[in-house]
Amino acid sequence: MANPAISQLQSVGDFSLVLTHPLVNGGASVSLVGFKVEGSIIDSDQEMDNAKVVPLIGQIVAMITNTIRAGTMRFSAVRTTGEPGKGDIVAVSQLLQSIGDNVGGVLRASWGQNGAIRSVVFSTVTVKRCKPIHIMGNDVAEYDVQWVYGDWVAA
């Protein structure tokens, strides 16, 4: 019999990304927009594994660990207003590309799951990659936006 305590309930759209960055919106927090209801909204991947096994002669191993949690976030985003101050993630990304960010910001991802609010806070975030233009015919163009982060913590 299945264990009901392992079930998951999450509503679509019960999600927010809030950016606080001194070079965006005068440093005031802004809710990022431009995400389709269907599909992947955000994904992240570490830049480096936290453990490594080094095989040694004699059937022994050396194990090396670290606490590095820096990585890359990927967003599937759609251009909305074209204004960074209104949270258009494509416009925010292109702004940070154009000014050469040397400060970084804080991004808080929050969502409702099983009756509770979950959050992950990413620090030292800035844009890694965003196309200058992406146009489609009979659909909205999804930009593959990538940001890097220096660390994260579950909040």
Side-chain angles (χ1 to χ4, degrees):
M1 176 185 332
N3 183 346
I6 308 176
S7 298
Q8 172 181 302
L9 183 61
Q10 182 175 338
S11 63
V12 175
D14 186 11
F15 177 79
S16 69
L17 285 170
V18 177
L19 175 67
T20 305
H21 195 297
L23 304 176
V24 178
N25 200 32
S29 296
V30 62
S31 293
L32 298 178
V33 297
F35 307 102
K36 291 170 72 173
V37 171
E38 292 185 6
S40 179
I41 296 172
I42 183 174
D43 192 11
S44 64
D45 193 24
Q46 290 179 219
E47 292 298 321
M48 175 181 241
D49 292 338
N50 291 117
K52 179 179 181 179
V53 176
V54 180
L56 303 173
I57 295 174
Q59 298 180 339
I60 56 176
V61 297
M63 301 205 42
I64 301 169
T65 64
N66 66 67
T67 58
I68 296 171
R69 299 194 305 181
T72 300
M73 291 179 277
R74 296 180 82 108
F75 306 95
S76 182
V78 174
R79 182 182 295 280
T80 59
T81 65
E83 298 179 39
K86 292 188 177 177
D88 182 330
I89 188 169
V90 174
V92 168
S93 299
Q94 292 173 344
L95 169 69
L96 292 174
Q97 284 177 319
S98 70
I99 60 178
D101 182 11
N102 65 353
V103 181
V106 174
L107 181 70
R108 180 182 201 90
S110 300
W111 66 98
Q113 182 178 352
N114 295 334
I117 301 297
R118 311 273 186 225
S119 294
V120 175
V121 178
F122 297 91
S123 59
T124 322
V125 299
T126 193
V127 66
K128 177 179 181 180
R129 179 172 293 131
C130 182
K131 294 178 181 183
I133 188 170
H134 186 58
I135 298 172
M136 294 186 64
N138 195 28
D139 201 355
V140 293
E142 292 183 50
Y143 286 73
D144 175 29
V145 176
Q146 296 179 33
W147 288 11
V148 292
Y149 56 92
D151 197 5
W152 63 270
V153 63

